[in-house]
């Protein structure tokens, strides 16, 4: 597994007009236009799935399914909403489905590949941190886990989170507070 | 200010969503409350940890996999399950039914009497002239003599002349 920092926070967000054009063309079945949308959003969607599912293979599967579902249901997408928000929503639902189908096993950070020129101490530390975070996230209720991932890992604004999760902005505020409190509490219990 | 209220504000403050006047109140509380300062540091650490969560790079053929599945047309759904088509019993039965239907149709065609083709337009023409002629004669009789002569004749509904009520 590579630990290259994907461009989650500085995505090459295309201009809104360009995105609208691509969406419109994709709606009439132009695969080339949709390919550009995939290229733009694949890192974020794959990583969102990785953060929710914990391993790379499942994350790639879920991300692929997300894009296929999006293409299939593009006619349901309303232009007044943001395409990214809509895509996030599909990805979250796809991951929820995968989690329900999955047998209860702990996500293990052992799917990395050995290669030379690696600072193993750093890798171990990162793997340990990932394992710890996974453990705590897995103990959070689903609604709190989701809101933390969207806010802290994807840095979505309150408005965007409200749209993705279809909840009022007041609920975003209170749920984030609950999620932070609970995360810190579980961390304390597990790792002191 | 109570700690619970302060921590709610703290959550907003971390996200840059706190109004300026509330920020002043919160900072004043943090200066005096060690417990809330501890919570603040915990949340800061938590944020750092979540933000340093390893990210992955999608495999190089990710786009190709997605696009190849997009282009694959969906197989049209058949009303007959595909496993039936390979079933020898189903194939034998369907062949027998097909053969019987063909035989039945052939026999039916042979048994039907051959009818001479007539010209319907011509037949209609003669009939129309006959009825019309008879009714014209009856109508003239009525007009000249004042008595109807068409009792027992064709019903008014089949008459080609206008009805009595509409004539005047």
């Amino acid at each position: 597994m590579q630990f290259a920092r994907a461009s989650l926070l500085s995505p090459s967000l295309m201009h809104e007009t360009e995105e609208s054009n691509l969406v419109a063309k994709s709606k009439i079945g132009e695969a080339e236009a949709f390919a550009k949308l995939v290229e733009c959003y694949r890192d974020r969607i794959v990583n969102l799935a990785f953060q929710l599912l914990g391993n790379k293979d499942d994350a790639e599967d879920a991300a692929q399914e997300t894009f296929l579902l999006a293409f299939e249901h593009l006619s349901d997408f309303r232009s007044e909403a943001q395409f990214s928000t809509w895509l996030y929503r599909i990805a979250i639902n796809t991951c929820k489905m995968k989690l329900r189908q999955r047998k209860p096993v702990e996500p293990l950070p052992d799917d990395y590949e050995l290669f030379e020129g690696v600072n193993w101490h750093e890798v171990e530390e990162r793997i340990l941190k990932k394992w710890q975070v996974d453990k705590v996230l897995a103990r959070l209720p689903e609604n709190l886990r989701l809101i933390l991932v969207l806010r802290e890992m994807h840095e979505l604004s309150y408005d965007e989170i409200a749209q993705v999760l279809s909840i009022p902005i007041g609920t975003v505020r209170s749920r984030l507070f609950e999620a932070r409190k609970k995360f810190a509490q579980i961390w304390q219990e597990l790792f002191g | 200010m109570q700690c619970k209220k302060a921590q709610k504000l703290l959550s907003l403050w971390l996200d840059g969503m706190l109004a300026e006047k509330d920020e002043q109140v919160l900072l004043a509380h943090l200066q005096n409350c060690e417990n809330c300062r501890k919570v603040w540091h915990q949340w800061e650490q938590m944020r750092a940890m979540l933000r340093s969560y390893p990210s992955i790079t999608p495999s190089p053929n990710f786009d190709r996999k997605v696009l190849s599945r997009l282009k694959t047309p969906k197989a049209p759904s058949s009303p007959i399950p595909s496993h039936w088509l390979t079933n020898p019993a189903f194939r034998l039965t369907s062949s027998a039914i097909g053969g019987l239907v063909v035989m039945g149709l052939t026999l039916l065609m042979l048994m039907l009497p051959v009818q001479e083709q007539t010209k319907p337009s011509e037949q209609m023409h003669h009939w129309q002239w006959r009825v019309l002629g008879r009714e014209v004669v009856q109508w003239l009789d009525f007009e000249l003599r004042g008595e109807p002569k068409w009792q027992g004749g064709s019903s008014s509904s089949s008459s080609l002349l206008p009805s009595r009520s509409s004539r005047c």
Side-chain angles (χ1 to χ4, degrees):
Chain A
M1 180 165 64
Q2 295 172 43
F3 282 120
R5 188 85 183 129
S7 55
L8 292 184
L9 313 178
S10 56
S12 53
L13 273 178
M14 57 180 73
H15 196 269
E16 264 184 43
T17 324
E18 191 190 350
E19 185 174 286
S20 304
N21 286 339
L22 290 175
V23 171
K25 285 179 180 173
S26 303
K27 272 188 179 179
I28 54 168
E30 279 192 28
E32 292 80 10
F34 193 69
K36 286 188 183 166
L37 290 171
V38 173
E39 191 186 336
C40 177
Y41 286 106
R42 82 177 155 227
D43 282 4
R44 275 186 287 172
I45 297 300
V46 167
N47 275 284
L48 175 65
F50 181 57
Q51 288 143 5
L52 295 175
L53 300 172
N55 79 65
K56 189 178 174 178
D57 288 341
D58 284 354
E60 286 226 356
D61 281 352
Q64 280 181 29
E65 278 174 40
T66 299
F67 285 113
L68 292 172
L69 280 170
F71 188 72
E72 200 177 322
H73 295 281
L74 260 176
S75 53
D76 299 337
F77 170 66
R78 292 177 186 171
S79 307
E80 60 262 31
Q82 270 193 318
F83 181 72
S84 58
T85 309
W86 185 70
L87 203 59
Y88 264 71
R89 207 177 297 157
I90 297 175
I92 288 169
N93 286 333
T94 309
C95 291
K96 280 183 183 175
M97 289 287 286
K98 285 221 173 274
L99 283 172
R100 281 186 203 118
Q101 289 162 0
R102 185 189 275 179
K103 289 174 187 171
V105 288
E106 288 290 329
L108 294 172
D110 57 357
D111 55 347
Y112 60 93
E113 293 161 5
L114 295 173
F115 52 93
E116 290 179 6
V118 170
N119 180 344
W120 287 110
H121 179 70
E122 191 190 326
V123 169
E124 276 175 31
E125 202 174 303
R126 284 185 148 205
I127 287 170
L128 177 66
K129 272 189 183 167
K130 179 188 178 296
W131 178 78
Q132 288 175 319
V133 170
D134 282 345
K135 287 275 264 187
V136 179
L137 284 177
R139 289 199 179 199
L140 280 177
E142 189 178 84
N143 57 351
L144 301 186
R145 184 167 64 235
L146 265 176
I147 207 156
L148 265 191
V149 167
L150 293 177
R151 177 66 203 138
E152 301 294 14
M153 296 178 170
H154 288 254
E155 296 191 36
L156 296 194
S157 69
Y158 281 25
D159 279 338
E160 287 169 330
I161 294 172
Q163 281 175 39
V164 169
L165 300 180
S166 304
I167 52 175
I169 204 149
T171 310
V172 175
R173 285 193 205 108
S174 56
R175 208 176 276 182
L176 261 173
F177 167 66
E178 283 301 320
R180 285 178 170 137
K181 218 169 58 168
K182 193 87 181 160
F183 187 98
Q185 182 197 326
I186 297 171
W187 184 278
Q188 200 67 26
E189 284 168 15
L190 292 177
F191 311 113
Chain B
M1 182 192 279
Q2 287 187 334
C3 288
K4 191 175 178 186
K5 166 83 175 162
Q7 286 166 21
K8 280 185 179 174
L9 296 182
L10 180 63
S11 180
L12 293 171
W13 187 53
L14 281 175
D15 295 327
M17 298 292 287
L18 195 61
E20 203 173 329
K21 63 177 174 70
D22 288 332
E23 190 177 1
Q24 298 304 319
V25 178
L26 174 68
L27 290 175
H29 179 86
L30 285 175
Q31 271 190 335
N32 300 318
C33 181
E34 196 185 333
N35 183 45
C36 284
R37 277 204 303 275
K38 197 176 156 194
V39 169
W40 172 27
H41 291 304
Q42 277 179 346
W43 287 2
E44 286 278 19
Q45 281 177 345
M46 177 190 80
R47 164 167 283 182
M49 248 177 320
L50 288 170
R51 291 195 174 172
S52 64
Y53 190 90
S55 58
I56 54 169
T57 309
S59 54
N61 55 0
F62 180 87
D63 290 16
R64 194 172 48 78
K65 277 185 187 171
V66 172
L67 296 174
S68 67
R69 285 171 73 187
L70 284 185
K71 283 172 185 168
T72 308
K74 283 182 183 174
S77 56
S78 165
I80 302 168
S82 58
H83 63 277
W84 283 22
L85 298 173
T86 52
N87 186 332
F90 175 78
R91 292 169 74 169
L92 189 68
T93 313
S94 57
S95 305
I97 292 170
L100 283 172
V101 168
V102 171
M103 279 172 65
L105 285 173
T106 314
L107 281 172
L108 196 67
M109 284 173 70
L110 290 171
M111 286 165 71
L112 279 176
V114 180
Q115 287 183 335
E116 203 175 307
Q117 192 75 24
T118 53
K119 292 180 182 174
S121 58
E122 232 177 85
Q123 273 191 342
M124 283 298 289
H125 213 59
H126 289 305
W127 176 80
Q128 279 179 321
W129 276 113
R130 274 204 301 274
V131 172
L132 186 64
R134 194 173 67 237
E135 288 199 2
V136 167
V137 170
Q138 286 172 345
W139 180 71
L140 283 172
D141 276 351
F142 172 76
E143 290 297 323
L144 293 171
R145 297 182 198 171
E147 57 180 289
K149 286 212 167 181
W150 58 78
Q151 288 100 337
S154 61
S155 67
S156 60
S157 63
S158 64
S159 169
L160 297 172
L161 292 172
S163 66
R164 285 175 64 86
S165 57
S166 63
R167 269 183 228 156
C168 305

